[in-house]
Amino acid sequence: MANKLGFLMQTDSVTKLPVYMTGAGHWDHQDPIYRPEGYPQYQWLHCVSGEGELKVNGHAYRVKPGSGMFLYPDEDHAYYSVEKPWEVYWITFMGSEVEALAPLAGIHASGVYALHSQELILNHMKNALSLTLSGQPFAGLECSKLVYMFFMDLINDRSMHASSADQGYLRLKPVFDYMEEHYNRDIPLHELAQELGVSVQHLCLLFRKMMNKRPMEYLNQLRIHKSKERLLECPDARIGEIANQVGFTTPGYFSTWFKRTEGMTPEAFRKLNGVR
């Protein structure tokens, strides 16, 4: 396939979407790129064959077939081939929700990310390139649908094949099971640590690494989840009773956590779900 690139003229309605595509392209051989000021949009560049190297944020990453470069806007970066020909597909995109979607795929910074189901990702990019070159009046909207699908498959690929995440979950599973069984009473941290045979400090470190939160945060979120069932199934029960049933010591603390997690009070949750 010859070198091709296309850019989209977006309407005001498309640029208001949570995520939208701005361009797509393909290079039989990617030439060296040096951008001291970065690029003003998000980019994903996917390596099909050959190898390259990306330099960004003071790090150098090897870019091999089946991996892609995710670049945040306005960051000093450079990339170039180390094994020719370096065949690359690319897309550029913007939108208010990109910063929320990228971390769901384990992407927290510009860098190189390996994929397992690369054909699925590549198909979205190839279809986007065809649309950008088609001249169709609604190409911008269709490409925005494709970039959203790209993100969904990227999230699925990265989460389903994240072996370290799988191992972390299995390591913590005894604690998750223990919380599920005993959430309705006070559970000291040392009790949870005993389930793994580790110190409290090490338990907190494992939770921070795996869940990005403390053990008690996870436990209280589990309690809130359980409380929602009771709030609807037991309409005559007082808030204090529900709080006690799911392990909270006071109604006020329960309500604080409920509002923090659900964005509303327990009373408002009942009312919103038709319980008076």
Side-chain angles (χ1 to χ4, degrees), residues 6-7 37 45 49 52 91 104 108 110 129 131 137 150 157 184-185 188 192 205 211 214 235 238 253 264 267 276:
F7 298 94
E37 303 300 323
L45 301 98
S49 62
I91 56 173
L104 294 177
H108 299 276
S110 296
L129 178 57
L131 276 168
F150 160 84
D157 180 278
N184 60 343
R185 65 168 178 83
L192 296 174
L205 182 65
M211 308 298 296
R214 296 185 295 273
R238 295 181 178 181
Y253 191 50
M264 65 185 83
E267 294 86 352
R276 303 291 179 179

Side-chain angles (χ1 to χ4, degrees), residues 14-21 42 93-98 101 140-141 143-145 147-152:
V14 169
T15 58
K16 292 176 182 176
L17 293 173
V19 57
Y20 59 92
M21 194 177 296
Y42 294 93
F93 45 92
M94 292 292 286
S96 59
E97 291 304 306
V98 176
L101 289 170
L141 184 59
C143 282
S144 297
K145 288 163 59 178
V147 75
Y148 188 79
M149 292 166 63
F150 160 84
F151 264 110
M152 293 303 101

Side-chain angles (χ1 to χ4, degrees), residues 179-243:
M179 288 180 175
E180 183 73 27
E181 185 176 355
H182 301 286
Y183 68 87
N184 60 343
R185 65 168 178 83
D186 179 51
I187 308 177
L189 273 174
H190 69 82
E191 207 171 298
L192 296 174
Q194 286 174 359
E195 289 298 303
L196 294 185
V198 299
S199 67
V200 168
Q201 292 79 6
H202 191 59
L203 172 71
C204 293
L205 182 65
L206 288 172
F207 254 84
R208 176 62 67 183
K209 185 176 180 180
M210 173 63 191
M211 308 298 296
N212 197 30
K213 62 186 65 176
R214 296 185 295 273
M216 287 299 116
E217 287 182 277
Y218 179 87
L219 177 58
N220 283 336
Q221 288 177 346
L222 173 64
R223 287 167 169 161
I224 295 301
H225 175 71
K226 298 293 185 180
S227 75
K228 292 192 290 184
E229 299 173 7
R230 286 176 167 78
L231 284 166
L232 302 183
E233 292 172 357
C234 310
D236 297 326
R238 295 181 178 181
I239 298 300
E241 293 177 68
I242 301 293

Side-chain angles (χ1 to χ4, degrees), residues 3-104:
N3 296 336
K4 292 184 178 180
L5 68 162
F7 298 94
L8 294 158
M9 285 186 59
Q10 299 290 15
T11 63
D12 289 343
S13 59
V14 169
T15 58
K16 292 176 182 176
L17 293 173
V19 57
Y20 59 92
M21 194 177 296
T22 56
H26 168 267
W27 299 110
D28 286 329
H29 173 63
Q30 173 67 62
D31 289 329
I33 295 290
Y34 301 94
R35 295 189 180 120
E37 303 300 323
Y39 191 79
Q41 300 169 358
Y42 294 93
Q43 299 173 274
W44 175 270
L45 301 98
H46 195 87
C47 175
V48 178
S49 62
E51 288 189 22
E53 187 169 80
L54 167 69
K55 289 187 175 180
V56 64
N57 294 326
H59 299 281
Y61 304 91
R62 187 58 63 96
V63 190
K64 298 182 178 182
S67 63
M69 298 183 285
F70 191 99
L71 296 174
Y72 279 76
D74 305 318
E75 290 187 347
D76 174 13
H77 67 265
Y79 50 87
Y80 43 82
S81 67
V82 294
E83 183 183 305
K84 300 180 180 180
W86 189 29
E87 184 184 1
V88 169
Y89 278 88
W90 58 265
I91 56 173
T92 53
F93 45 92
M94 292 292 286
S96 59
E97 291 304 306
V98 176
E99 280 200 66
L101 289 170
L104 294 177

